[in-house]
Amino acid sequence: MEQLNNYINTHKDRFINELIELLKIPSISADPAYSTDVLETAKTVKKSLEDAGCDNTEICETKGYPVVYGDKIIDPNLPTVLVYGHYDVQPPDPMNLWDSPPFEPVIKKTDLHPDGAIFARGACDDKGQFFMHVKAVEFMIKNNQLPCNVKFMIEGEEEVGSDSLEDFLKENKEKFKNDIILISDTGMISNHTPSITTGLRGLSYVQVEVTGANRDLHSGIYGGAAPNPINVLAKMIASLHDENNRITIPGFYDKVEIISDEERAEMAKAPFNLEAYKKALDIDDVHGEKGYTTTERFGIRPTLDVNGIWGGYTGEGAKTVIASKAYAKISMRLVPNQDWHEITDLFTKYFTSLAPKSVKVKVTPHHGGQAYVTPIDSDGYQAASKAMETTFGKTPVPQRTGGSIPIVALFENVFDSKTILLGFGLDSDAIHSPNEHFGVWNFLKGIETIPYFYKYYTEMAKG
Ligand code: BES
Ligand code: MN
Ligand code: MN
């Protein structure tokens, strides 16, 4: 593509500096203390769309944090690409494990990122990744290379479940109408092995509360005679998996998509090195459902994990006490055909039934979403594949990932369009963890690849 590499080379320092400015604002959607920062970020994103040459930029109110819109409609008869991303980020804790402050971005070299990586909360998830689209569109607009229409939907509540987006989408269907949705909010296998995400898991997230006596008790006076909610909760959680690490909730697997041996064999061709996987995590063995490989365990199988558990005395030293209450936060990652509302109900019924009469149990659903699988024979997938082939010199591998972007399944219902998950992050980029980072090479490679997607997609869609 004419001028593309030149444009990136000339402007890359500015691109990086603009991203750094965006990363300085702590847009933590989970914590109300940061609400002004989240709103400030939305304004900065709107401005960046304007600067890129977009028209009709707007901060659209929702029940929660706003959605940022911008478009460039060159001809209503041409196809329209909708770019989705999120400007909110995960909380940075635990703070003491960051080598540099999460909202003071720095560029440092790593083994996997010899050209340097930007270290900051949101660098990869998702500010760095959606910003590649802003810069790619800037290139196309400023150089008259935009072959079709583009619309942006950058939201501010993805990390807390996109609660306001469903109603917002339904009310603004016409505004966001599109032919294909393009998202960079996932990863690829490695910088030498490009891949395109073809599946996201669904999610059901719940909190459980187990209550014993009406107050905390002396563990000597009452121990052994009164119920201990922490002991009970631990046992209840332990019984949610059997000896083969299968989930014991009745009906949990009933609707799980059955994948043929041929398909499993095809999926197994994607490069994956178990030894490197264990080494990267510093574990001597992996753990998961019997009868499935590691890539299947995170790609095509549902799971249940405790994300947090608390209760009783956790301060310095020892306190002899039997707590009145114990809590846990539990996530279930779901696969195609499992309905998250139904799974939440099955969990609630079963979990409640596990409790002995001595305690009371409360299950509070948080949020969820359906799984999503995108076909590889669509124009969108083929265009993305050709784009990566052009800039990486290799055909990307289709791969299902374990993460979730709950809104994607809804997009298909509301717009009847496919979503293409063209991500440039690496699993080792530490999203949601301390020291999150995004390779400078990856950032620039994304900006280089995206314009080819538009070119090939428009050619294909025109037939
Ligand atoms: N970008 C991630 C999802 C992701 C990351 C998918 C890497 C595939 C590979 C997204 O921001 C995220 O963190 N989603 C949450 C769900 C949400 C409801 C909190 C998740 O997967 O836990
Ligand atoms: Mn994300
Ligand atoms: Mn995330």
Side-chain angles (χ1 to χ4, degrees), residues 89-272:
V89 301
Q90 284 279 327
D93 62 281
M95 290 295 272
N96 60 323
L97 295 182
W98 283 80
D99 295 331
S100 55
F103 299 104
E104 293 172 29
V106 288
I107 299 181
K108 281 185 293 189
K109 291 188 166 70
T110 72
D111 287 350
L112 290 177
H113 297 297
D115 294 344
I118 306 168
F119 281 76
R121 171 57 85 232
C124 179
D125 184 12
D126 179 42
K127 285 173 174 169
Q129 293 222 71
F130 85 70
F131 203 64
M132 300 180 310
H133 289 267
V134 181
K135 295 298 106 179
V137 166
E138 172 190 309
F139 159 75
M140 290 187 283
I141 294 176
K142 307 248 147 127
N143 294 277
N144 277 320
Q145 306 254 350
L146 183 67
C148 63
N149 308 311
V150 58
K151 294 177 179 174
F152 281 89
M153 173 194 282
I154 312 296
E155 70 144 317
E157 294 188 318
E158 196 277 341
E159 297 293 9
V160 286
S162 303
D163 279 346
S164 315
L165 209 54
E166 178 162 0
D167 289 346
F168 176 79
L169 269 187
K170 290 178 177 159
E171 285 157 21
N172 293 275
K173 216 175 138 166
E174 208 38 48
K175 185 183 194 117
F176 291 94
K177 199 169 168 312
N178 63 78
D179 298 282
I180 189 88
I181 296 155
L182 184 61
I183 303 181
S184 295
D185 193 24
T186 52
M188 53 179 189
I189 294 174
S190 79
N191 287 359
H192 311 286
T193 314
S195 59
I196 296 175
T197 302
T198 50
L200 293 166
R201 287 195 289 190
L203 181 71
S204 163
Y205 200 107
V206 298
Q207 179 164 323
V208 298
E209 179 190 290
V210 176
T211 307
N214 55 5
R215 58 180 168 91
D216 287 6
L217 304 172
H218 187 287
S219 67
I221 299 175
Y222 289 98
N228 181 327
I230 301 180
N231 290 7
V232 170
L233 175 61
K235 195 166 170 189
M236 288 167 77
I237 287 171
S239 64
L240 293 172
H241 288 94
D242 70 11
E243 65 283 7
N244 294 322
N245 282 317
R246 275 177 70 88
I247 294 151
T248 52
I249 300 169
F252 186 83
Y253 291 100
D254 281 4
K255 299 204 173 146
V256 166
E257 175 195 35
I258 295 167
I259 299 194
S260 67
D261 290 347
E262 286 84 6
E263 261 180 284
R264 283 174 74 181
E266 196 53 43
M267 286 174 180
K269 287 184 189 155
F272 179 77

Side-chain angles (χ1 to χ4, degrees), residues 7 47 159 174 210 228 286 331 353 401-402 419 451:
Y7 192 84
K47 170 94 173 28
E159 297 293 9
E174 208 38 48
V210 176
N228 181 327
V286 290
S331 70
S353 79
T401 166
T419 292

